[in-house]
Amino acid sequence: MVVPTLAGRASQHFSTGQIRKNQFKANIKAGVQQIGLWTGLRNTQIAEMLTYAGYDWIVVDMEHSPNMLSDVLLQLQVAQPGNAEPMVRVPWNEPVIVKQVLDLGCQTILFPLVNSKKEAEAAVAATRYPPHGIRGVMSLARMNAYGKTADYYHKAADELCVVVQAETIEAVNAIPEIASVDGVDAVFIGPSDLSASMGYLGQSSHPEVHAAIKRAIQACKDNNIPAGFLSGNEDDAKMAIDAGATFTAIGSDMSILTKNATALCAKFKQHVASK
């Protein structure tokens, strides 16, 4: 299958006034595996580099990283012309920060800790204009190419991708109800908080946690909604892909830098010590 490139879509959005195509949303709906990476180092060059490194999507994290709105804006500006869709994880499922992130031009948004159908409905409502939701109307901002995209308000939802995180056993059990919410485009299984909710804090690879992850992914498949996953452990990431995850983050910029910087330093210190 030929997957259309993302390159040039952001520039087309601003030069022609056409709404930016969310190819990531189209690909996960079509079942095309999307490989991603978390980015939390709050750096525009890293975000730009990752979008050209072969990844299909990256996460600009506001929940567990020091990314503020100004940081998100800059990373969207450098990432959207590239080949990886920038997904923004907001710090909480509440409408004010969602409104601000969307006005910056974010088109794929990740909501943490969504445990029920009601909470999923609230997440979707924050991304929709009245009468379908509660998103505030800004007349001129980056999201509508500073006024050039005349039909943005009516077509925005078509290219918005709403992803909710199932991070507890309560959420895993509620996946059928969460998946039924109109406007929820995907469910992302968060293994760290899931393991903690099961009494296995810091043990994301525990057999019981693996069983819950597989059950969550199967529930997504049974309810015709794409499932996402994150793990810096290669075996766990492959396990999720094999179980049916459609979009899989395989690590983070911080873990890659830490691991490789530590290994390189150790190698040369060992060389020096051997003299």
Side-chain angles (χ1 to χ4, degrees), residues 89-199:
R89 178 163 72 171
V90 291
W92 195 244
N93 181 7
E94 62 88 23
V96 176
I97 191 67
V98 172
K99 171 179 61 179
Q100 293 174 310
V101 166
L102 292 177
D103 284 351
L104 294 180
C106 169
Q107 289 181 290
T108 302
I109 189 164
L110 179 61
F111 290 85
L113 206 64
V114 173
N115 288 317
S116 66
K117 180 178 181 179
K118 182 178 180 180
E119 291 176 3
E121 290 172 338
V124 173
T127 70
R128 300 308 199 251
Y129 290 116
H132 306 293
I134 60 170
R135 179 181 175 184
V137 180
M138 173 63 175
S139 60
L140 190 98
R142 187 173 185 272
M143 87 289 183
N144 66 352
Y146 305 102
K148 185 170 282 189
T149 309
D151 57 354
Y152 175 82
Y153 303 119
H154 301 289
K155 294 185 177 180
D158 295 339
E159 302 301 335
L160 287 180
C161 187
V162 174
V163 185
V164 298
Q165 285 193 255
E167 306 184 83
T168 64
I169 281 295
E170 178 186 359
V172 170
N173 293 335
I175 284 176
E177 291 75 30
I178 291 171
S180 73
V181 175
D182 185 28
V184 170
D185 297 297
V187 174
F188 185 92
I189 293 92
S192 295
D193 284 306
L194 176 59
S195 63
S197 79
M198 297 174 64

Side-chain angles (χ1 to χ4, degrees), residues 166-272:
E167 306 184 83
T168 64
I169 281 295
E170 178 186 359
V172 170
N173 293 335
I175 284 176
E177 291 75 30
I178 291 171
S180 73
V181 175
D182 185 28
V184 170
D185 297 297
V187 174
F188 185 92
I189 293 92
S192 295
D193 284 306
L194 176 59
S195 63
S197 79
M198 297 174 64
Y200 300 111
L201 179 63
Q203 301 178 64
S204 297
S205 297
H206 191 282
E208 292 294 328
V209 179
H210 273 194
I213 291 168
K214 291 177 181 178
R215 180 160 65 89
I217 294 172
Q218 186 60 50
C220 290
K221 292 167 65 177
D222 291 343
N223 289 275
N224 300 309
I225 194 162
F229 187 73
L230 160 70
S231 182
N233 180 306
E234 290 189 18
D235 290 336
D236 286 1
K238 290 175 181 177
M239 176 269 295
I241 291 172
D242 293 343
T246 309
F247 57 108
T248 312
I250 55 176
S252 70
D253 53 0
M254 190 175 296
S255 65
I256 290 173
L257 178 60
T258 301
K259 180 180 178 180
N260 286 280
T262 301
L264 184 61
C265 180
K267 181 189 295 184
F268 277 85
K269 288 200 171 186
Q270 184 179 19
H271 176 73
V272 171

Side-chain angles (χ1 to χ4, degrees), residues 26-38:
N27 287 344
I28 62 172
K29 292 291 185 183
V32 180
Q33 177 63 233
Q34 304 289 282
I35 299 299
L37 197 79
W38 233 251

Side-chain angles (χ1 to χ4, degrees), residues 16-140:
T16 67
Q18 296 177 12
I19 194 165
R20 178 179 176 274
K21 174 71 174 177
N22 191 332
Q23 194 61 54
F24 172 81
K25 179 178 180 177
N27 287 344
I28 62 172
K29 292 291 185 183
V32 180
Q33 177 63 233
Q34 304 289 282
I35 299 299
L37 197 79
W38 233 251
T39 174
L41 288 178
R42 192 173 168 257
N43 186 281
T44 54
Q45 284 185 294
I46 290 174
E48 184 177 44
M49 176 188 66
L50 291 176
T51 66
Y52 294 105
Y55 293 99
D56 301 300
W57 59 292
I58 62 172
V59 171
V60 180
D61 189 13
M62 298 182 75
E63 184 189 12
H64 288 299
S65 299
N67 282 303
M68 307 303 289
L69 281 172
S70 57
D71 303 309
V72 172
L73 169 62
L74 293 173
Q75 289 173 81
L76 288 174
Q77 287 174 322
V78 300
Q80 284 181 333
N83 298 320
E85 173 70 14
M87 177 188 296
V88 177
R89 178 163 72 171
V90 291
W92 195 244
N93 181 7
E94 62 88 23
V96 176
I97 191 67
V98 172
K99 171 179 61 179
Q100 293 174 310
V101 166
L102 292 177
D103 284 351
L104 294 180
C106 169
Q107 289 181 290
T108 302
I109 189 164
L110 179 61
F111 290 85
L113 206 64
V114 173
N115 288 317
S116 66
K117 180 178 181 179
K118 182 178 180 180
E119 291 176 3
E121 290 172 338
V124 173
T127 70
R128 300 308 199 251
Y129 290 116
H132 306 293
I134 60 170
R135 179 181 175 184
V137 180
M138 173 63 175
S139 60
L140 190 98

